[in-house]
Amino acid sequence: MKKGRFGAYGGQYVPEIVMPALEELEAAYAKYKEDPDFQKEFNYYLNEYAGRPTRLYYAEQLTKHYGRAKIYLKREDLLHTGAHKINNALGQALLAKRMGKKRIVAETGAGQHGVASATVAALFGMECHVFMGALDVERQKLNVFRMKLLGAKVIPVSSGTGTLKDATSEAIRYWATNIEDTHYIIGSAVGPHPYPTIVRDFQKVIGEEIRSQMAEKGLGKPDYLLACVGGGSNAIGTFYEFRNDKDVKKIGIEAGGRGSAPVDNAKTLSGSGEPGVLHGAYSYLLQDDDGQVIEAYSISAGLDYPGVGPEHSYFKDEGIVQYDSVTDAEALAAFQRLSETEGIIPALESSHALAYLEKLMPETKPEETVVVCLSGRGDKDVAMVAKTLGEEIE
Amino acid sequence: MSTRLEAKMEALRQAGRKALFIYITAGATGLEETIEAVRGAEAAGADVIELGLPFSDPMADGPVIQASSVSALKHGMTTAKEIELVKKLRTFTDIPLIGMGYINTMLHYGFEKYAQDFQAAGLDGFIVPDVPHEESADMRAACEKAGLHYAEFITPGTTEKRMEKTCEKATGFIYCVSNNGVTGVKKIDYSVIGKVCEKAKKLTKTPLAVGFGIGSPEAAVAAAEHADAVICGSAVVSRLLEGKKDEAFALIHSMREALDAAYGKE
């Protein structure tokens, strides 16, 4: 395999200006990856600050609802800031600190990764700039204010289509302009090498914990692993540990949105995506006949990305992970179902993985186990869901 | 046999003059407007036209070129129309034409066919700003096969070791990025890239063109000091987008005059 590639996918499609910074990051990561002091510090913050390990919770009521395999939820939603994003943000901020960087730049869609980045920047005393689509700034006022409270500067991006992909391009442009003292914390397992590898390594603790927690419960390996896929960071974190376990069926769930036309969903791997280059990596991509990138759509602001992490493209082609999708309506139903059966309000992103249970559970047997990565909590989505359901809230 | 670009650069070198590259986004305000812009730019003193090929996510570009790309796509620009545009330009001019586009549109069309179709239409080479040397092999090979130039990049941060690799493969010209960042007019200390140019000159005879930030005759003169050419984009594109064609041509003309005054017209 070529350097920085997962099969044919990945690479470093960035302006020459950015190359010295990627080389610096690659060298620093190679060094600290093997450094016991770095790993010790990372684990300290993961455990003491973020709240790891997260529970592997037996969802008894949901299991009863389906009457088939036992369902377990990997509770990433219980982490500080409310999602798995903090795992990566902590790791990268510690890396940035050791590289002597004074400033963090990040992109964000709904604001979860922006909040995680602002949080770690506050913790480690670094300056933080978060680029966010102008439309998203308007829609996610609460998260914008959270970031401000944490001391970050939120910069609305109105170029292009004013959404996550444009915020990502703008974060890269800012990074290119301030490369000497700035580290870019990319929010998902996407971007140029070495980002997809770094993000995966900082998220793979999810799958490692699932394996050991299953063993502690005397359950052996799970039969099924489910995780939602936007850029794919919680999914790669869940699946990576089990990549060689053929007896563990791994399914990544994309956003089926409101229809089958490419502009109506974010089915990069499970729909009409074709390999292409966006934000530094060669990977499956939603694009038109002329190679122009198509704006993806989902009810979930964390899943409406037209690209996907390159390792997922590799996993798809190799048949290591299967990719499927559920619609907005199915995700919304799952959001309500988990709230009502288990008393847990899931993020709309995670609700996509939960919605797939409708399709999967009838095929399962009572002696089997299904683990769903509950990547985030749903508080941030309550207003959006209320609006969709036609409820008036303030 | 030398290419249109090589012949032009050699003629300028012998005359002791600096080359002026002008960037124009293909179809930003419609195809006919682009044709008139190229005609006007050449008449005002441009030596080479860098034809911007619009992409939905132009990572290396600042706000002006981004806006022109969005506008071009809204005007329905496609790769097929860009090729038609080159053919139309070739009906009235021999000015070297270099396409600047992003890798995904080339990849999607197929590198070899892309290079061949543009070459057949009359293009002279490509600049691909989201591809560093490491990832350039396939597109460069397609360009070589089609007889097109493929521009390499050097920047203030390019190490000498890296420069050896990029200069070795360079033909046509090397794009010297003046500062860390993206395209767009701003105040820049051109002595930084000037020093890098001096290092590059020891490694290659390929002409050096400095770009990014150049928006005035003074900046053009400063940027040209250690190079063979300067590239002006956003300052011209913003005027064209606003429908101020005459101002755009006047700017090109003033850059031409300033460069010739500073570096001598035989």
Side-chain angles (χ1 to χ4, degrees):
Chain A
M1 222 180 272
K2 271 167 75 182
K3 191 191 89 170
R5 296 270 175 171
F6 307 94
Y9 302 105
Q12 296 180 302
Y13 296 91
V14 293
E16 177 67 29
I17 284 278
V18 176
M19 285 307 288
L22 288 180
E23 284 171 357
E24 183 191 355
L25 179 61
E26 192 181 356
Y29 184 61
K31 179 179 165 193
Y32 293 120
K33 193 183 167 186
E34 309 298 335
D35 177 2
D37 282 347
F38 178 82
Q39 291 300 335
K40 201 177 146 194
E41 195 181 4
F42 181 40
N43 282 321
Y44 170 82
Y45 283 105
L46 280 181
N47 297 344
E48 300 295 322
Y49 185 72
R52 300 212 74 89
T54 59
R55 298 296 171 134
L56 184 66
Y57 167 69
Y58 173 44
E60 198 175 352
Q61 302 311 314
L62 194 63
T63 300
K64 275 187 194 153
H65 171 82
Y66 289 108
R68 298 279 175 155
K70 286 194 168 70
I71 301 167
Y72 287 82
L73 303 177
K74 182 58 175 164
R75 298 293 306 272
E76 295 297 295
D77 62 317
L78 293 179
L79 287 169
H80 180 42
T81 70
H84 71 291
K85 297 283 186 195
I86 192 77
N87 301 328
N88 170 51
L90 272 173
Q92 288 207 43
L94 286 169
L95 202 54
K97 213 175 84 173
R98 299 214 176 196
M99 288 164 71
K101 305 288 179 183
K102 294 178 171 50
R103 194 185 302 127
I104 294 297
V105 59
E107 85 292 341
T108 199
Q112 292 307 104
H113 173 59
V115 168
S117 299
T119 299
V120 297
L123 176 65
F124 298 122
M126 300 166 104
E127 200 184 308
C128 183
H129 290 216
V130 180
F131 288 90
M132 190 169 182
L135 263 176
D136 292 330
V137 169
E138 202 46 47
R139 286 189 294 212
Q140 303 285 339
K141 284 183 182 149
L142 195 66
N143 269 342
V144 172
F145 187 61
R146 282 171 85 192
M147 288 184 262
K148 281 182 186 162
L149 280 176
L150 292 160
K153 189 176 171 198
V154 180
I155 303 119
V157 177
S158 46
S159 60
T161 45
T163 58
L164 176 61
K165 76 177 176 74
D166 305 293
T168 305
S169 297
E170 206 54 40
I172 295 171
R173 291 183 190 111
Y174 179 88
W175 187 39
T177 312
N178 299 277
I179 214 121
E180 275 130 32
D181 62 355
T182 303
H183 175 70
Y184 175 31
I185 304 189
I186 204 160
S188 192
V190 299
H193 172 72
Y195 277 108
T197 301
I198 292 178
V199 176
R200 178 249 282 155
D201 286 353
F202 289 153
Q203 294 292 359
K204 69 182 180 183
V205 62
I206 302 172
E208 290 167 356
E209 285 179 7
I210 291 172
R211 191 189 285 281
S212 62
Q213 289 168 326
M214 288 292 284
E216 279 164 25
K217 291 179 196 293
L219 293 166
K221 285 184 218 173
D223 296 288
Y224 297 92
L225 280 175
L226 300 184
C228 63
V229 179
S233 68
N234 91 87
I236 208 75
T238 303
F239 299 151
Y240 186 71
E241 168 70 16
F242 296 95
R243 66 196 181 284
N244 297 320
D245 294 290
K246 292 206 169 77
D247 48 348
V248 178
K249 203 167 171 201
K250 298 165 283 285
I251 308 165
I253 320 298
E254 295 188 312
R258 60 192 168 201
S260 58
V263 289
D264 286 330
N265 62 65
K267 288 157 67 174
T268 310
L269 292 167
S270 61
S272 57
E274 293 173 78
V277 174
L278 177 68
H279 297 144
Y282 178 60
S283 194
Y284 277 81
L285 178 64
L286 293 176
Q287 51 187 319
D288 69 13
D289 292 342
D290 225 40
Q292 303 292 346
V293 180
I294 289 172
E295 190 62 46
Y297 164 81
S298 166
I299 189 173
S300 153
L303 299 182
D304 61 356
Y305 183 66
V308 70
E311 199 164 15
H312 284 293
S313 293
Y314 172 67
F315 282 176
K316 174 190 159 79
D317 284 6
E318 294 294 312
I320 293 167
V321 177
Q322 208 186 302
Y323 296 88
D324 208 331
S325 68
V326 301
T327 64
D328 280 0
E330 289 166 331
L332 205 58
F335 178 95
Q336 290 173 284
R337 191 180 309 119
L338 193 72
S339 302
E340 287 163 15
T341 56
E342 293 287 349
I344 297 170
I345 300 177
L348 274 175
E349 291 79 14
S350 323
S351 299
H352 283 71
L354 292 163
Y356 194 75
L357 291 170
E358 292 286 303
K359 187 173 175 182
L360 176 69
M361 294 313 288
E363 295 171 17
T364 63
K365 302 187 196 85
E367 64 273 21
E368 291 180 321
T369 52
V370 178
V371 174
V372 183
C373 182
L374 196 60
S375 55
R377 68 174 183 230
D379 308 46
K380 68 181 176 63
D381 297 316
V382 167
M384 177 70 180
V385 171
K387 199 177 148 200
T388 311
L389 297 176
E391 296 268 343
E392 291 268 347
I393 58 170
E394 259 218 290
Chain B
M1 199 188 83
S2 68
T3 64
R4 266 185 288 256
L5 179 66
E6 285 167 341
K8 171 75 74 140
M9 295 307 288
E10 181 56 23
L12 287 164
R13 194 188 63 82
Q14 285 185 8
R17 295 172 67 203
K18 305 283 186 181
L20 178 59
F21 289 31
I22 296 295
Y23 177 105
I24 293 170
T25 306
T29 48
L31 272 187
E32 289 308 314
E33 293 281 313
T34 304
I35 290 168
E36 288 318 302
V38 171
R39 200 193 298 272
E42 187 177 14
D47 299 301
V48 173
I49 297 294
E50 199 183 314
L51 203 56
L53 310 172
F55 180 52
S56 53
D57 298 80
M59 203 204 278
D61 284 303
V64 170
I65 310 260
Q66 285 176 47
S68 72
S69 298
V70 168
S71 175
L73 292 173
K74 275 188 185 150
H75 274 86
M77 270 321 272
T78 59
T79 300
K81 285 185 186 168
E82 289 155 16
I83 292 166
E84 281 311 305
L85 172 64
V86 174
K87 281 184 189 159
K88 283 185 182 167
L89 294 174
R90 279 290 171 247
T91 61
F92 67 84
T93 178
D94 265 329
I95 195 168
L97 293 169
I98 309 292
M100 170 153 158
Y102 286 79
I103 195 72
N104 194 55
T105 47
M106 303 173 183
L107 178 72
H108 199 78
Y109 195 90
F111 290 140
E112 286 209 2
K113 189 169 159 37
Y114 192 86
Q116 279 163 8
D117 289 357
F118 270 100
Q119 193 279 336
L123 199 80
D124 299 291
F126 281 109
I127 303 166
V128 192
D130 61 341
V131 171
H133 186 73
E134 284 79 352
E135 305 286 1
S136 64
D138 294 344
M139 185 58 190
R140 190 194 303 107
C143 285
E144 268 169 29
K145 200 173 163 191
L148 293 176
H149 294 293
Y150 180 91
E152 296 283 348
F153 285 90
I154 59 177
T155 78
T158 308
T159 58
E160 284 184 52
K161 203 175 142 197
R162 227 179 133 68
M163 219 183 286
E164 280 172 25
K165 275 193 280 180
T166 49
C167 290
E168 191 200 336
K169 302 271 183 183
T171 70
F173 72 100
I174 295 173
Y175 199 124
C176 306
V177 179
S178 65
N179 72 321
N180 287 345
V182 294
T183 58
V185 177
K186 61 183 146 181
K187 203 166 155 41
I188 285 166
D189 175 4
Y190 288 99
S191 68
V192 178
I193 193 66
K195 289 192 187 99
V196 181
C197 288
E198 289 303 323
K199 284 183 198 165
K201 279 187 210 166
K202 291 183 189 138
L203 297 166
T204 182
K205 288 198 165 57
T206 305
L208 305 175
V210 172
F212 281 38
I214 301 163
S216 66
E218 297 74 25
V221 169
E225 189 179 349
H226 300 276
D228 305 286
V230 294
I231 305 168
C232 174
S234 296
V236 169
V237 171
S238 65
R239 287 165 175 83
L240 291 175
L241 271 181
E242 288 165 16
K244 296 173 182 165
K245 261 187 287 189
D246 292 343
E247 276 187 31
F249 301 148
L251 176 68
I252 295 167
H253 186 70
S254 65
M255 285 184 167
R256 168 85 278 154
E257 300 259 286
L259 285 171
D260 287 339
Y263 300 104
K265 202 169 184 177
E266 75 242 69

